[in-house]
Amino acid sequence: VQLVESGGGLVQPGGSLRLSCAASGSIFSINAMGWYRQAPGKQRELVAVAGYGGKTNYADSVKGRFTISRDNAKNTVVLQMNSLKPEDTAVYYCNAVGLVTTDFLTNDYWGQGTQVTVSS
């Protein structure tokens, strides 16, 4: 199983970016898919998460600016980030919780991370 992220980069304050994550491998189902971020010198923190049934949860700092969506059939999750601020600068990691393989093994997985830099 592998999680591959894409879409990071450099953007000016107020701009937008779209992060995508695709889980591949022998996957039966995924309980929750989400995004975390880690800024230099800080702990990794939850940004947004989407459950299998569509329920979403956001960090207070991104509510109203970020939107998470997932496609259960394609095992993908997208984070649309609008009105970006310099404090959003971090490495963003895709996370899959309760991923069940076709061998019915359950585990959590992380992507390799993608850099998001918000700067003028």
Side-chain angles (χ1 to χ4, degrees):
V1 174
Q2 193 175 16
L3 301 185
V4 178
E5 301 128 335
S6 60
L10 173 65
V11 65
Q12 292 186 342
S16 298
L17 280 176
R18 182 180 174 93
L19 303 183
S20 298
C21 172
S24 62
S26 301
I27 299 169
F28 179 74
S29 67
I30 305 174
N31 183 27
M33 297 188 76
W35 292 90
Y36 285 71
R37 67 186 180 187
Q38 187 167 19
K42 294 187 177 181
Q43 289 188 332
R44 190 173 297 188
E45 63 175 1
L46 173 70
V47 177
V49 62
Y52 186 86
K55 184 177 180 181
T56 58
N57 191 33
Y58 296 90
D60 288 342
S61 59
V62 307
K63 283 180 181 177
R65 300 188 297 122
F66 292 10
T67 302
I68 189 170
S69 59
R70 64 179 285 185
D71 185 325
N72 293 332
K74 296 181 179 179
N75 293 320
T76 58
V77 63
V78 171
L79 185 68
Q80 177 66 42
M81 304 186 294
N82 299 327
S83 302
L84 282 160
K85 305 175 181 179
E87 51 263 43
D88 294 319
T89 296
V91 177
Y92 284 69
Y93 297 91
C94 179
N95 173 242
V97 175
L99 189 152
V100 183
T101 67
T102 53
D103 294 332
F104 297 103
L105 299 175
T106 303
N107 212 334
D108 300 342
Y109 294 86
W110 291 91
Q112 80 283 359
T114 184
Q115 178 69 45
V116 170
T117 302
V118 184
S119 175
S120 54

